[in-house]
Amino acid sequence: MTAAAGATMAGGPDAGAGGPLAVVCGGGRLPGTVAAVVVASGRDVVLFPIRGWADPAVVAPFRHHWIALATYGRLVRLMRQEGCRDLVFIGGAVRPALSELRLDWGTVRVLPRVARAFRGGDDHLLSGVARIFEDDGFRLRGAHEVAPDILVGEGPLGRRTPSARDAADVAFGLGLLAAQSPFDVGQAVVVAERRVLAVEAAEGTDGMLARVAALRAEGRIRTPAGVGVLVKAPKIGQDHRLDLPTIGPQTVDGVARAGLAGLAVVAGSVLVADPQEVARRAEAAGLFAVGVTPPPEGS
């Protein structure tokens, strides 16, 4: 455990609400970004990084307790000890097999509910876990609620904008994501000239983009470089507190390696790690990165 560095600013909209904010941390930069924004708003944070997922360098500047996956009892005890009522889940994660979990007694207590939560897609799993926390008196918050500045806004990140052909591919991709939402599959697709090149599944966005790059290198994708888009959107009906789509600098790098024209995400519903760096890398690679408004549901 370490002490948080620096003093906090007063007067933010979430300052003091429900005591310190508990941030359960997966991988990537976003846990640190969210924590820094919350601290700047005047509210204390306590991070609970998950071993094997969270980056020690990201959590080091903040007060934190390392936890192992599936040690629910320890996490609840520590959150209560720290005076946390509100909690946020943020960061990359890999869905484990139920057989891989090493349980503490607190987890054993809720194991039947955890097992039921595993019998479905990621949304079903996360919603089931959220209800367990809520039944124990905690309040689940979305990262976008406590740090709204990390949401992608409408319009381009940088100066480049999609062409008419790109915009048609974006609309096609959004329609596909909406249509597959009931199946709880993924939150991203790659489309080129209204042809679906890839759909995100268990490999995640970075893995999907690597697959597109490999298919292009093998000659399986013949569309010219600079044609095609990555489209990301939350699933319809998805609980936005749990698993909003995310982009970051590495997403832009993956789009460039895949030979696409750019990426489009739903404005106000996708988190962005380091938007300035996203814009810089997109400009350097000759790509567009843009937040768009999706068509109304059912249209």
Side-chain angles (χ1 to χ4, degrees):
M1 183 179 70
T2 65
T8 61
M9 297 168 54
D14 234 15
L21 177 71
V23 182
V24 180
C25 307
R29 304 183 192 184
L30 271 176
T33 301
V34 170
V37 170
V38 173
V39 168
S41 78
R43 185 173 188 179
D44 291 335
V45 297
V46 183
L47 274 54
F48 298 90
I50 299 174
R51 295 189 186 279
W53 290 357
D55 183 343
V58 168
V59 304
F62 306 95
R63 182 173 179 82
H64 65 270
H65 302 269
W66 285 94
I67 58 172
L69 189 64
T71 53
Y72 179 73
R74 170 176 163 78
L75 174 57
V76 166
R77 183 173 67 254
L78 287 171
M79 286 195 296
R80 287 175 174 158
Q81 176 182 304
E82 293 283 1
C84 302
R85 180 188 174 197
D86 294 349
L87 74 152
V88 165
F89 292 95
I90 188 69
V94 178
R95 177 175 173 140
L98 189 58
S99 61
E100 294 174 341
L101 303 181
R102 299 295 177 261
L103 314 178
D104 68 1
W105 283 110
T107 312
V108 170
R109 176 176 63 85
V110 295
L111 185 59
R113 298 179 66 183
V114 173
R116 287 195 295 272
F118 265 85
R119 298 187 191 119
D122 289 345
D123 282 356
H124 180 76
L125 171 61
L126 291 169
S127 297
V129 171
R131 282 191 293 271
I132 293 171
F133 280 95
E134 289 170 338
D135 288 347
D136 272 337
F138 296 99
R139 183 168 57 187
L140 187 64
R141 305 290 303 276
H144 63 292
E145 296 176 297
V146 299
D149 289 347
I150 67 173
L151 287 170
V152 176
E154 189 168 1
L157 283 76
R159 292 174 295 180
R160 294 183 179 271
T161 57
S163 67
R165 178 181 61 197
D166 299 329
D169 281 342
V170 170
F172 188 85
L174 289 172
L176 173 59
L177 288 169
Q180 72 180 27
S181 284
F183 300 97
D184 197 2
V185 180
Q187 300 171 311
V189 295
V190 174
V191 176
E193 297 181 320
R194 297 175 60 84
R195 177 190 174 202
V196 179
L197 301 184
V199 175
E200 179 190 52
E203 79 276 40
T205 302
D206 291 346
M208 178 186 66
L209 290 170
R211 177 157 49 93
V212 172
L215 290 170
R216 187 181 293 281
E218 295 166 4
R220 300 284 300 276
I221 294 175
R222 297 298 184 91
T223 53
V227 176
V229 297
L230 167 69
V231 185
K232 293 199 75 166
K235 301 162 194 168
I236 294 174
Q238 178 176 330
D239 189 335
H240 285 195
R241 300 173 303 168
L242 295 167
D243 185 28
L244 281 180
T246 301
I247 62 169
Q250 77 285 350
T251 314
V252 177
D253 294 344
V255 168
R257 288 191 292 267
L260 305 177
L263 64 146
V265 302
V266 172
S269 297
V270 175
L271 306 177
V272 56
D274 200 344
Q276 291 78 18
E277 182 64 11
V278 166
R280 188 193 71 78
R281 292 195 192 185
E283 289 281 347
L287 307 173
F288 68 83
V290 65
V292 300
T293 301
E297 294 181 19
S299 65

